Amino acid sequence: MDVYLGGKRIRLDPRASLGKGGEADVFDLGDGRALKVWKTPDHPDYAGQDAEQRAAEGRIEQHQDKLRAFPGGLPDAVIAPLELATDRRRRRVVGYAMRLVRGAEPLLRYGEPAMRHGGLSAAAIAPVLAGLHRTVEAIHRRGVVIGDFNDLNVLVAAGEAFVIDADSFQFGPFLCQMFTERFVDPLLCDPSLPRPALVRPYSQDSDWYAFAVMVMQSLLCVGPHGGVHRPRSAAARVPQCARPLRRITVFDPEVRYPRPAIPYRVLPDDLLQALYRIFVEDQRGVFPRRLLQELAFTRCPSCGVEHARPACPTCAGAAPAAVRETVAVHGELLVTQVLRTRGAVLAASVGASGLRYLVHEDGRFRREDGAVVMSGAPHPAMRFAVQGDATLIGRGGELVVLSPGAAPERLPVDCVGARPMFDVNARHRYVARGGQLLRSGAPGAGVLSGEAGEVPIGDVLAGQTVFWAGPRFGLGFYRAGDVSIAFVFDAERPGLKDTVKLPFPGGKLTAATCVFDADPGSPPRGGRGRAWLFLAAEQAGRVVHRCVVVREDGAVEATADGEAEGGSWLGALTGKCAASGFLLSATDAGVVRVEVRGGALVEARRFPGTEPFVTQASRLLVGPEGLFVVDARAITLLRIS
């Protein structure tokens, strides 16, 4: 498809793709601007989806007048249309050019526990939220309402928040009809329905409601309606999706606060009171900016908790720097605390040489044997891995490999957004670079240095390819414009099989992760290894999760869908590992075993005794010793006694 900007034809090249949303594709124009092009009803992403096709046609029709009437004078932090894109007859608007914000992450990421444990501090988040507050006020002064205000249409770069998707703003006669369940004001919804649905027009008050949700999510890693509702009477239980309509929040004594989240008592009382009044008592109006400007976070020197109170709300005395190998019996479980640190566990793996891990504490990055591999502080944009004695740290377009007794290796890699694309298994390192997937040679045969030790696996799309490597094979995909390609590759041999029919969920893909297993009884190349791919997408106003099981030969074996925070094994994408043909999933109620049976994914067994030792944010690793549970500040080994 070609579009026209200022009379100049623009060819939509997938290699220039910047991302794919639920309603549009975005491309780099190469001049500091991006081009947003709305998906037409015949777009491949809408194949077989009649409702989405009709919505696409209606959206484009409305934009014919709306974009031409778009208001000026909005603040610089709004990524507004700069120039309209048309079809070749120059009559129909198909999108628009806008300023390109490079190196940005959606505000959604700031509410993820992994970001906080990876170096993002609450002290750094507060000024971002205060700046976003000023932007919202300035938008309102122009008589504009943001409408579908959520943490995917706020981008953060260099400590500044930018509001995108301005074409959905509400102004004049143009109402915004889209909504996101987690952010829509329940006062605008029909309380008789089973879940939030917008039935009244947005207002400035509803923007401030959504802003308050972002404040809570960003500072505490949980929204107002997170956690699990467990009333004394089963008859009083309310489905997760209906809780906003009933004002059942994390402040309710019958709601179990999610353990991966940051305890809300780290915030000062006046801020907590403001959040309570908004989400429980339906108070509306401009969110008090002073509550953000006056936040003064500090980190407790004893327990490491970051708080904004006069004294640490969680510390009960000085904690030791590191505690190792404490053993206890809990029912049928033998529980060994392998490590506890006041810092953060950044990476861990289990192989033939046992458990290996990387910890940051007291300004140093340390390995499991106490060796210091680097000094400094972790950054949220860093990605870590351990492979034997080697420590891998990626940031931006560079991967640094730190090995004992050797000079650091610095390797260029492609990035997808801010994520450097590399992975490891026990034998090799894999990187995406310049549109190629590459692996290192066998141990002792060279390293990823662009020399003899580097082996090309196959061609991929530069800057758009995500992949994972397992012990026997790898899985990856890229999506750009109207192109969606998924592939598998052998862990040892060159070549990609790019005919995998991966069933992507509809809407905007927001996260993806993958774990691998291999049936121990299968032959080395029997095609029975499995990849368990987990995808999250913003779809029809809510977040849906999909698990897709892909065999080593590229065949899709099974799929399952679930809702985010729904309490099932698919309620989170994190906390998964696979072994011997089944999946183990960590939930806040304990570990769940999932199996493939007849093309379906079945919850085969629960392990309720593990509940005190896991959360849905835990990382699970299976080793000969048992199940390692890797949390932000601890590693625990669980064994059936």
Side-chain angles (χ1 to χ4, degrees):
M1 176 181 176
D2 294 340
V3 302
Y4 289 78
L5 274 175
K8 180 180 178 182
R9 187 175 73 171
I10 305 294
R11 175 150 293 176
L12 302 182
D13 188 340
R15 292 172 295 181
S17 175
L18 289 170
K20 175 182 286 288
E23 301 171 351
D25 295 312
V26 183
F27 300 86
D28 189 347
L29 289 172
D31 59 359
R33 298 183 302 167
L35 176 64
K36 181 173 183 177
V37 179
W38 300 303
K39 295 178 182 177
T40 56
D42 60 353
H43 194 285
D45 289 355
Y46 294 152
Q49 302 178 53
D50 293 343
E52 293 295 337
Q53 292 171 357
R54 290 192 298 271
E57 182 62 37
R59 185 163 47 246
I60 293 174
E61 193 61 38
Q62 183 194 49
H63 285 323
Q64 301 308 305
D65 296 325
K66 182 178 182 179
L67 267 291
R68 291 185 170 96
F70 196 85
L74 293 173
D76 290 341
V78 173
I79 307 304
L82 298 175
E83 185 177 9
L84 299 185
T86 64
D87 60 12
R88 61 180 177 180
R89 295 183 178 180
R90 321 293 169 83
R91 296 175 183 171
R92 191 166 178 82
V93 179
V94 297
Y96 60 90
M98 58 188 174
R99 184 160 44 108
L100 174 59
V101 181
R102 295 193 182 277
E105 288 274 18
L107 188 64
L108 170 77
R109 300 280 181 252
Y110 281 47
E112 296 175 350
M115 286 283 281
R116 298 294 289 275
H117 304 314
L120 178 66
S121 67
I125 296 173
V128 173
L129 295 171
L132 179 59
H133 188 290
R134 289 189 289 270
T135 298
V136 175
E137 284 187 313
I139 292 171
H140 288 172
R141 284 196 295 269
R142 293 291 300 150
V144 175
V145 170
I146 298 172
D148 185 22
F149 194 20
N150 63 75
D151 55 7
L152 282 174
N153 60 28
V154 177
L155 299 181
V156 183
E160 184 177 0
F162 298 87
V163 181
I164 62 171
D165 293 340
D167 50 304
S168 69
F169 282 5
Q170 179 172 292
F171 57 89
F174 304 104
L175 298 181
C176 176
Q177 298 176 335
M178 297 177 293
F179 70 95
T180 302
E181 280 191 2
R182 291 182 299 127
F183 294 92
V184 66
D185 187 343
L187 294 178
L188 305 184
C189 300
D190 185 344
S192 67
L193 296 177
R195 64 192 316 144
L198 184 69
V199 297
R200 298 178 184 87
Y202 285 113
S203 66
Q204 293 185 2
D205 279 351
S206 61
D207 280 354
W208 288 119
Y209 175 89
F211 179 82
V213 177
M214 294 182 213
V215 168
M216 188 170 183
Q217 181 75 46
S218 300
L219 293 177
L220 298 178
C221 298
V222 63
H225 305 102
V228 179
H229 184 222
R230 289 185 173 176
R232 293 182 181 89
S233 169
R237 187 169 298 169
V238 173
Q240 174 69 29
C241 58
R243 282 175 50 195
L245 302 174
R246 308 285 184 86
R247 315 304 192 263
I248 301 174
T249 72
V250 293
F251 301 116
D252 192 300
E254 293 189 324
V255 170
R256 179 176 175 178
Y257 196 79
R259 282 187 286 166
I262 296 165
Y264 61 70
R265 61 183 180 272
V266 304
L267 298 180
D269 289 338
D270 53 356
L271 178 53
L272 287 174
Q273 187 177 53
L275 295 173
Y276 183 90
R277 287 175 175 170
I278 292 168
F279 300 127
V280 179
E281 299 178 349
D282 288 340
Q283 179 176 296
R284 297 293 183 266
V286 178
F287 189 91
R289 192 198 307 168
R290 66 170 182 82
L291 297 180
L292 301 173
Q293 294 173 327
E294 294 173 0
L295 281 174
F297 284 94
T298 186
R299 192 171 296 279
C300 176
S302 295
C303 67
V305 168
E306 191 180 16
H307 65 90
R309 301 181 74 92
C312 177
T314 60
C315 187
V323 178
R324 300 178 181 229
E325 295 297 335
T326 60
V327 182
V329 177
H330 185 86
E332 296 182 347
L333 283 179
L334 187 65
V335 182
T336 303
Q337 186 173 292
V338 178
L339 172 74
R340 177 166 292 280
T341 173
R342 63 172 177 261
V345 182
L346 301 176
S349 68
V350 174
S353 57
L355 176 68
R356 302 295 188 100
Y357 56 83
L358 175 68
V359 172
H360 182 267
E361 187 178 73
D362 298 330
R364 293 179 175 87
F365 296 81
R366 295 182 182 273
R367 289 296 301 265
E368 66 283 343
D369 59 358
V372 176
V373 297
M374 190 173 71
S375 296
H379 189 278
M382 287 179 172
R383 187 176 170 215
F384 304 92
V386 291
Q387 182 195 38
D389 293 335
T391 304
L392 291 80
I393 304 175
R395 182 178 178 184
E398 183 177 65
L399 171 64
V400 178
V401 182
L402 305 172
S403 301
E409 302 172 52
R410 299 183 179 275
L411 315 170
V413 296
D414 286 350
C415 283
V416 175
R419 180 184 178 188
M421 289 313 308
F422 70 93
D423 205 358
V424 299
N425 60 19
R427 288 176 55 83
H428 301 294
R429 305 168 197 154
Y430 303 80
V431 302
R433 182 194 306 141
Q436 278 195 313
L437 186 62
L438 308 160
R439 71 160 171 82
S440 62
V447 295
L448 286 172
S449 59
E451 300 176 355
E454 191 172 55
V455 179
I457 295 176
D459 294 333
V460 294
L461 189 61
Q464 297 296 324
T465 302
V466 295
F467 72 91
W468 301 266
R472 291 175 21 170
F473 77 105
L475 171 69
F477 65 83
Y478 52 87
R479 306 180 76 202
D482 57 2
V483 175
S484 290
I485 300 292
F487 58 86
V488 292
F489 59 93
D490 191 281
E492 301 290 338
R493 303 170 182 171
L496 294 176
K497 184 176 183 178
D498 60 2
T499 56
V500 179
K501 303 299 183 183
L502 204 60
F504 290 101
K508 179 180 176 61
L509 197 65
T510 60
T513 189
C514 187
V515 295
F516 294 84
D517 71 54
D519 291 343
S522 62
R525 291 290 174 263
R528 290 176 59 191
R530 290 184 175 125
W532 302 70
L533 176 67
F534 297 88
L535 305 169
E538 191 86 26
Q539 183 183 98
R542 61 185 185 268
V543 178
V544 297
H545 291 167
R546 174 167 292 177
C547 175
V548 184
V549 182
V550 181
R551 291 206 311 254
E552 190 173 343
D553 59 7
V556 173
E557 190 173 8
T559 63
D561 291 339
E563 288 199 23
E565 300 182 351
S568 75
W569 64 272
L570 260 177
L573 265 59
T574 51
K576 310 289 190 290
C577 72
S580 303
F582 59 84
L583 179 81
L584 293 177
S585 177
T587 75
D588 285 351
V591 175
V592 175
R593 173 170 168 157
V594 178
E595 298 178 357
V596 178
R597 295 180 183 174
L601 293 175
V602 178
E603 185 178 301
R605 184 179 176 188
R606 285 180 171 267
F607 300 89
T610 62
E611 180 178 359
F613 309 103
V614 302
T615 74
Q616 64 181 17
S618 300
R619 287 169 281 173
L620 302 184
L621 302 170
V622 173
E625 305 93 331
L627 181 67
F628 289 97
V629 180
V630 183
D631 288 308
R633 294 190 173 93
I635 300 178
T636 307
L637 174 62
L638 304 181
R639 290 172 284 188
I640 302 292
S641 61

